[in-house]
Amino acid sequence: MGISRRDFLKSSAAVAAASAVGITVPDEIKAKAAKGEEGWRWDKAPCRFCGTGCGIMLATKNGKIVAVKGDPAAPVNRGLNCIKGYFNAKIMYGADRLTKPLLRVNEKGEFDKKGKFKPVSWKRAFDEMEKHIKKALKESGPEGVAVFGSGQYTIMEGYAALKMMKAGFRSNAIDPNARHCMASAVVGFYQTFGIDEPSGCYDDIELTDTIVAWGSNMAEMHPILWSRVTDRKLSDPDRVKVINIQTYTHRSCDLSDFNIIFRPQTDMLIWNYIAREIVTRDKRGGGTEDIIDWDFIKKHIVFAAGPVNIGYGMRREGEKSLKEGKYSDKEMEIIKKEMAKKVSPLEAPALEPYGYKEGDVMKNRGGTLAHWMISFDEYKKSLEPYTLDYVAKVAKGDPDESIESFKKKLKMLADLYIEKDRKVVSFWTMGMNQHTRGTWVNTLSYNVHFMLNKQAKPGSGAFSLTGQPSACGTAREVGTFTHRLPADLMVKNPKHRAKTEKKWKIPAGTLNPVGKQHIMAIHRGLEDGLVKFAWVNVCNPYQDSANANHWIKAAREMDNFIVTSDGYPGISAMVSDLVLPSAMIYEKWGGYGNAERRTQLWKQQVVPVGEAMSDTWQWVELSKRFTVKDLWGEYKPSGPRKKPLPNVIEDAKKMGYKEDTTMYEILFANDEAKKYTLDDPLLEGFDDSDSKGDNRKVIGSDGKEWKGYGFFIHKYLFEEYAWFGRGHGHDLAPFDVYHKVRGLKWPVVNGKETSWRFNVKYDPYAAKANPGGDFAFYGPLAKKLFKGNLTKPDKNGGKTPIPNKAKIFARPYMDPPEMPDNTYDTWLCTGRVLEHWHSGTMTMRVPELFRAVPEALCYMHPEDAKKRGVKRGELVWVESRRGKVKARVETRGRNRPPRGLVFVPWFDEKVLINKVTLDATCPMSKQTDYKKCAVKIYKA
């Protein structure tokens, strides 16, 4: 008996939904679903989108993915998907999918930067890349070759890119778009714990009594986690409290017990207010209560401070493009604050303990990670300004809310944190990370949790939620940042470089010790003419970077060569000189690491479309074009590197290499790699286009049919990368294990994952560091400090070791560099929406998602619209000192800003809001602040 498509869909949906919630399914419905699924192969994989790390099941038939459902066995999502998750297959089958390399050429077929795109072979594409890379190396040295990397790289792609860039090209000019999304969290971890990544896990949601979301619209950005929050709230609505703290009202607010709308940047004030309440109400702080866990503090914590005159991560005086007049007078009004600023009435009270008063000129020295120990009394002194009156006056973000109401909420918030036996989890994402004091505000969260001994415990902790699917697993853990190597190793550390050189079997002195070309520095380097070659991998930097007009102009008009590897022709592809078609997520083997340290791997499910190949393949093929002689000679100082890089060719010869030995032979097809043979059982029944070739018979980079590397390259890359972390607190399980489980939270020791780091009860590294104790904050970075006061260190006494301790930092409130004034009278905040991922390159190709949200809207308070003479649905100009875009007004719906603020999401390339935003960053983390700049709004 046949089954109609409608009945099949209904049956399959019923079975999937029932499985997700544990309902028994009638045998008749099961049979219908099984009949419709004949010939399907189901296999597990992580979702392509956000950092939550949901598990999905994919069905393939006849070489195509035909169905997607939530994986009931996945501990993160337990069978549920968000709306994007259900369309993981459709993102790969858009009508304008890139299938061949495209090069700008003239009528003669020669490369021409002003030419039109024409299809070319892979060989021609690599010929052009080789030529322009060699030109860049000759003119600018390794600093002239750059990569815009990604928190969406697979682990293997990121490791291949890192290895070729840092060992091959000797360039540290590789930085991921993850710089834009969680770099402040990273530096906050380093400064506080001495090691990267969260201490807790998602299980905290079910174990806590209180969820506080700071600058995080979890309902749209982490919807599966929000479903778990909702379930926890509804399980015990009287006991469990949910609070949202943000600059405008959004969907997450609907669940909250109360919401706090604050003025942009003033989350720092609120954190310090809570800390002040803790200190002043505690007996040692002059109060009457036992609030601070002094036993915990004395054993595990030191207090610290650092410079406050660190600037805003913008261009500095003397930089080439500033001297050439590429920035307008209006832009310079803000940029000049990078060098010096006048202390404002709003920030003066907070800066008074640091020796500043209103009207003083603060001369900025540029970002620094320096800090030193201070006493508790000095820390207490730093908190004195944050009275309820001061904080409420400056932080209240909704002009229509009474000051009494706002104060009441602040007191309620502090009381919830302080309440004995109340577990509290603080979640945040971009609201705290995309911030000109992002590192500071991250550390402020730990201050509160540490003083209350509510950190690194089941149900309690401050927890940074990551935005991208492998910003943790690849950008951070693999180390595709300019300053990093795998597993928290740093390029500036000679011991770390030596360890890496030994593992990679490259000469001592090969690795470049200067890692300062972060993502905004790469853009600025292109504009200054330092960077001559840039390769865009798995991201869209010409849409996602603030102040985009400058970077697009530099890419198109300067003497450089821009390459973009992508699945679709987004803005970055259109800006480029060469476009390469990349295999998309399930068309390749891969691995991701999510926000709770969960590593997940998947197998290639289908063959890529057209001639598309994975980014791993593209990097490894490029390595075949460069030899020891080409890359390992001496390089003169260039850009941020003030010393020469040595010639290591003779040392390479002593290691058995020849001048014509290729980087492919050294870095990727070495003896160790070839041990991973193609008779591996994991490959049985599955494609591996990189290792084995496939039935498309693609003509490869050498002009011949691609037949594969002849060894299991993905397993080799993963296992070599994993070596760096094993035994060092970043332990990963073997490659094969991840194909049997739904991910594991590292460190994985003796086959067991770690749910709560630094807690002796749960973390074997903490137990080893502090036998018989309770906690050990064993991160090794910055664990010897000078002592001092709030304003300076005393370097006469030498540094004091602080092994196994974490830090509480004194960090003052400071204004952002650009605030509304009489001309630009409105705050602009940008971000995402539920239905679209990042720049919309994939999700805007899914008809259902496009129809749901076809354009980016300018969300505005109705009174602000009325004041400007515009109505809902009409077009307005959103204009800043840097540029302007046209957007349609929305005065209702999901996002409801207070008067004086507008929200415009950035997924829509036709509403390129990053032409308007300011490229100020946290000067410590170099993460861009997309959440606040000043604009004016007027009818189009």
Side-chain angles (χ1 to χ4, degrees):
M1 176 174 143
I3 179 172
S4 71
R5 181 175 184 273
R6 185 182 179 199
D7 284 345
F8 159 64
L9 290 173
K10 286 169 63 179
S11 301
S12 293
V15 171
S19 298
V21 295
I23 297 174
T24 302
V25 181
D27 290 340
E28 181 183 354
I29 294 179
K30 281 185 180 178
K32 284 184 177 181
K35 177 75 174 176
E37 295 178 12
E38 282 183 3
W40 289 14
R41 180 189 70 192
W42 286 98
D43 198 28
K44 72 175 183 70
C47 175
R48 171 61 180 81
F49 298 110
C50 78
T52 301
C54 295
I56 62 172
M57 296 296 292
L58 298 162
T60 55
K61 184 177 182 180
N62 299 327
K64 192 169 182 177
I65 297 175
V66 293
V68 177
K69 63 183 179 182
D71 183 356
V76 171
N77 55 310
R78 306 163 186 180
L80 297 177
N81 279 350
C82 79
I83 187 65
K84 292 188 297 296
Y86 287 111
F87 292 105
N88 267 284
K90 281 198 173 184
I91 62 172
M92 302 197 308
Y93 302 122
D96 59 344
R97 178 77 189 272
L98 294 169
T99 59
K100 291 178 179 290
L102 302 171
L103 178 69
R104 289 186 185 274
V105 295
N106 59 24
E107 292 180 356
K108 297 179 182 179
E110 302 164 332
F111 167 67
D112 185 339
K113 197 166 180 72
K114 296 182 179 179
K116 295 182 179 181
F117 284 117
K118 299 284 185 173
V120 295
S121 67
W122 275 111
K123 183 178 185 302
R124 175 71 188 280
F126 281 103
D127 287 345
E128 293 292 339
M129 292 176 75
E130 177 187 349
K131 178 174 70 176
H132 288 280
I133 289 171
K134 287 179 176 177
K135 179 175 179 284
L137 290 169
K138 184 177 180 180
E139 295 180 10
S140 293
E143 288 71 18
V145 178
V147 172
F148 292 104
S150 179
Q152 298 162 67
Y153 271 140
T154 68
I155 290 168
M156 299 75 151
E157 288 169 346
Y159 187 68
L162 168 86
K163 202 173 182 187
M164 183 57 199
M165 278 295 287
K166 300 202 173 191
F169 295 132
R170 308 177 76 182
S171 173
N172 291 324
I174 175 173
D175 211 55
N177 63 350
R179 175 74 66 178
H180 290 319
C181 80
M182 33 49 63
S184 295
V186 172
V187 182
F189 283 123
Y190 280 151
Q191 294 238 310
T192 303
F193 299 97
I195 193 170
D196 192 13
E197 305 262 4
S199 53
C201 64
Y202 298 158
D203 292 349
D204 287 328
I205 295 171
E206 284 76 28
L207 298 171
T208 195
D209 307 309
T210 318
I211 295 102
V212 187
W214 292 76
S216 179
N217 183 3
M218 291 176 68
E220 292 202 54
M221 308 315 145
H222 296 85
I224 295 302
L225 294 184
W226 195 245
S227 73
R228 291 174 61 170
V229 170
T230 303
D231 184 60
R232 176 62 184 137
K233 171 64 177 173
L234 297 178
S235 71
D236 192 352
D238 293 332
R239 172 65 179 170
V240 176
K241 303 299 179 185
V242 177
I243 301 92
N244 271 279
I245 305 173
Q246 63 281 311
T247 59
Y248 62 94
T249 303
H250 47 58
R251 283 180 172 174
S252 299
C253 299
D254 297 339
L255 182 69
S256 300
D257 290 87
F258 61 91
N259 300 297
I260 294 176
I261 305 297
F262 65 90
R263 184 203 303 246
Q265 192 89 351
T266 61
D267 44 3
M268 303 176 70
L269 284 166
I270 299 172
W271 276 117
N272 275 320
Y273 162 73
I274 300 169
R276 184 183 185 276
E277 284 291 293
I278 292 169
V279 168
T280 57
R281 285 162 58 175
D282 185 78
K283 287 179 180 177
R284 184 167 168 181
T288 59
E289 303 174 66
D290 291 315
I291 293 177
I292 298 175
D293 188 330
W294 283 108
D295 181 61
F296 173 82
I297 295 293
K298 289 172 183 177
K299 288 194 293 186
H300 304 300
I301 301 295
V302 298
F303 296 90
V308 298
N309 57 331
I310 59 176
Y312 299 100
M314 296 183 286
R315 279 195 174 277
R316 292 193 65 80
E317 194 171 42
E319 292 185 9
K320 192 167 182 278
S321 291
L322 291 187
K323 291 194 291 185
E324 292 176 350
K326 292 182 179 179
Y327 289 76
S328 69
D329 290 344
K330 287 183 179 180
E331 290 177 281
M332 291 306 299
E333 290 174 8
I334 305 304
I335 293 173
K336 68 181 182 182
K337 295 180 183 179
E338 180 62 28
M339 280 56 78
K341 60 160 285 174
K342 186 176 287 189
V343 175
S344 79
L346 295 178
E347 63 192 351
L351 289 170
E352 190 275 332
Y354 299 84
Y356 292 93
K357 61 181 183 299
E358 182 181 343
D360 283 353
V361 174
M362 178 184 287
K363 294 184 179 180
N364 294 319
R365 298 185 303 179
T368 175
L369 301 179
H371 57 278
W372 51 87
M373 279 193 289
I374 59 173
S375 67
F376 169 72
D377 288 338
E378 284 287 296
Y379 175 66
K380 179 185 173 185
K381 177 182 173 182
S382 79
L383 297 177
E384 287 174 0
Y386 301 99
T387 63
L388 183 60
D389 287 341
Y390 169 55
V391 171
K393 178 183 176 181
V394 179
K396 186 171 78 73
D398 183 354
D400 297 322
E401 181 177 13
S402 72
I403 195 73
E404 291 77 17
S405 169
F406 192 73
K407 284 182 177 181
K408 181 181 178 181
K409 290 177 182 177
L410 292 179
K411 288 194 286 187
M412 290 166 61
L413 178 66
D415 287 343
L416 285 172
Y417 273 100
I418 291 170
E419 183 183 326
K420 292 287 187 183
D421 301 321
R422 172 171 285 279
K423 297 177 181 178
V424 184
V425 176
S426 301
F427 285 122
W428 67 90
T429 44
M430 300 310 122
M432 276 173 50
N433 291 343
Q434 292 174 345
H435 196 303
T436 56
R437 290 294 181 268
T439 300
W440 288 9
V441 74
N442 269 260
T443 61
L444 291 178
S445 68
Y446 301 118
N447 294 356
V448 167
H449 282 266
F450 279 148
M451 285 193 287
L452 301 170
N453 193 4
K454 294 183 179 182
Q455 180 67 30
K457 288 182 168 182
S460 280
F463 196 133
S464 164
L465 292 173
T466 310
Q468 297 187 79
S470 205
C472 291
T474 307
R476 292 157 79 169
E477 294 156 29
V478 171
T480 58
F481 284 90
T482 181
H483 62 292
R484 290 178 73 161
L485 294 165
D488 278 352
L489 301 184
M490 303 290 171
V491 298
K492 71 176 182 180
N493 187 312
K495 291 181 180 179
H496 293 180
R497 294 197 305 275
K499 177 179 179 177
T500 306
E501 288 165 343
K502 184 177 180 181
K503 181 61 178 176
W504 286 349
K505 295 181 172 62
I506 59 178
T510 301
L511 294 179
N512 186 336
V514 181
K516 295 184 177 180
Q517 288 178 275
H518 55 86
I519 201 163
M520 294 312 301
I522 292 172
H523 277 307
R524 293 166 188 169
L526 283 159
E527 188 176 47
D528 289 345
L530 171 66
V531 176
K532 300 291 186 180
F533 176 94
W535 190 1
V536 175
N537 287 183
V538 209
C539 64
N540 196 355
Y542 291 96
Q543 184 173 341
D544 71 27
S545 295
N547 207 357
N549 282 322
H550 278 275
W551 324 132
I552 292 171
K553 185 176 181 180
R556 293 306 313 135
E557 297 182 7
M558 297 291 290
D559 178 21
N560 54 43
F561 191 79
I562 312 294
V563 183
T564 290
S565 295
D566 206 340
Y568 291 102
I571 285 181
S572 295
M574 295 298 98
V575 164
S576 297
D577 303 300
L578 173 66
V579 180
L580 304 179
S582 284
M584 293 182 68
I585 175 129
Y586 309 118
E587 298 171 336
K588 57 193 177 186
W589 288 69
Y592 280 163
N594 79 348
E596 64 168 351
R597 296 172 280 107
R598 182 179 299 277
T599 306
Q600 304 183 75
L601 304 189
W602 70 90
K603 300 175 182 178
Q604 182 175 330
Q605 301 297 314
V606 292
V607 169
V609 302
E611 296 177 19
M613 296 296 289
S614 77
D615 290 70
T616 301
W617 181 88
Q618 293 173 35
W619 273 105
V620 176
E621 290 304 288
L622 183 66
S623 74
K624 294 177 177 178
R625 299 298 187 105
F626 295 90
T627 65
V628 167
K629 184 178 180 181
D630 291 332
L631 301 182
W632 286 357
E634 182 180 356
Y635 291 100
K636 296 177 181 178
S638 179
R641 180 174 49 83
K642 306 307 179 187
K643 296 180 180 179
L645 277 180
N647 185 322
V648 295
I649 293 175
E650 291 305 314
D651 290 334
K653 290 178 181 178
K654 292 175 184 176
M655 297 176 72
Y657 304 133
K658 300 176 182 179
E659 288 192 358
D660 63 352
T661 304
T662 65
M663 293 298 120
Y664 170 69
E665 296 168 274
I666 296 170
L667 303 178
F668 300 113
N670 49 55
D671 291 341
E672 185 63 28
K674 291 176 181 177
K675 293 178 183 177
Y676 295 90
T677 58
L678 295 183
D679 59 358
D680 193 301
L682 284 174
L683 288 165
E684 187 175 340
F686 287 87
D687 287 301
D688 186 340
S689 299
D690 296 345
S691 300
K692 301 189 295 185
D694 57 47
N695 57 15
R696 296 173 300 159
K697 299 183 178 180
V698 170
I699 304 302
S701 68
D702 58 0
K704 300 176 183 178
E705 181 185 329
W706 174 248
K707 296 184 178 180
Y709 292 115
F711 60 93
F712 197 172
I713 192 167
H714 308 287
K715 189 170 183 177
Y716 159 64
L717 291 170
F718 180 87
E719 287 294 347
E720 183 176 277
Y721 147 65
W723 173 88
F724 284 92
R726 289 172 180 155
H728 304 284
H730 286 265
D731 307 63
L732 296 175
F735 183 85
D736 290 26
V737 169
Y738 288 109
H739 288 284
K740 300 174 183 176
V741 299
R742 266 58 174 184
L744 294 168
K745 300 186 291 287
W746 62 261
V748 181
V749 180
N750 297 325
K752 296 181 180 179
E753 64 181 358
T754 300
S755 293
W756 290 277
R757 296 169 83 197
F758 314 123
N759 187 319
V760 167
K761 187 175 180 180
Y762 304 98
D763 182 347
Y765 278 93
K768 182 179 178 182
N770 187 14
D774 48 3
F775 293 91
F777 298 102
Y778 51 77
L781 297 177
K783 288 302 179 75
K784 288 183 180 180
L785 297 178
F786 290 113
K787 294 181 179 179
N789 56 30
L790 283 175
T791 59
K792 62 182 184 299
D794 178 4
K795 297 186 178 181
N796 294 323
K799 290 186 176 182
T800 301
I802 51 168
N804 296 321
K805 292 195 174 186
K807 300 164 197 164
I808 286 177
F809 280 93
R811 306 288 203 196
Y813 165 74
M814 290 184 71
D815 293 338
E818 185 175 56
M819 301 172 73
D821 57 22
N822 290 334
T823 304
Y824 301 96
D825 59 356
T826 301
W827 290 106
L828 167 67
C829 178
T830 66
R832 294 199 287 116
V833 295
L834 169 66
E835 293 82 357
H836 289 296
W837 172 247
H838 275 205
S839 60
T841 314
M842 295 180 290
T843 52
M844 289 287 272
R845 266 84 181 174
V846 176
E848 294 87 345
L849 297 178
F850 176 79
R851 286 196 298 268
V853 183
E855 63 181 321
L857 302 172
C858 178
Y859 292 90
M860 182 185 299
H861 192 280
E863 290 298 317
D864 282 345
K866 184 178 179 181
K867 178 181 173 182
R868 289 163 175 80
V870 295
K871 297 178 181 178
R872 180 173 181 250
E874 293 184 336
L875 291 170
V876 293
W877 284 106
V878 182
E879 181 177 340
S880 72
R881 291 172 172 87
R882 293 155 295 281
K884 64 180 183 178
V885 296
K886 204 182 291 185
R888 201 172 304 280
V889 169
E890 177 57 89
T891 56
R892 305 179 196 167
R894 63 177 78 184
N895 299 309
R896 289 149 279 166
R899 287 188 292 120
L901 184 144
V902 296
F903 174 79
V904 182
W906 63 277
F907 68 86
D908 187 352
E909 63 184 35
K910 294 177 182 176
V911 184
L912 213 176
I913 194 62
N914 279 321
K915 289 183 175 180
V916 177
T917 51
L918 174 65
D919 59 320
T921 73
C922 167
M924 299 171 77
S925 71
K926 318 302 181 190
Q927 179 168 355
T928 311
D929 189 339
Y930 294 92
K931 299 304 181 186
K932 60 194 81 80
C933 70
V935 298
K936 57 183 176 182
I937 313 286
Y938 53 95
K939 193 168 185 176

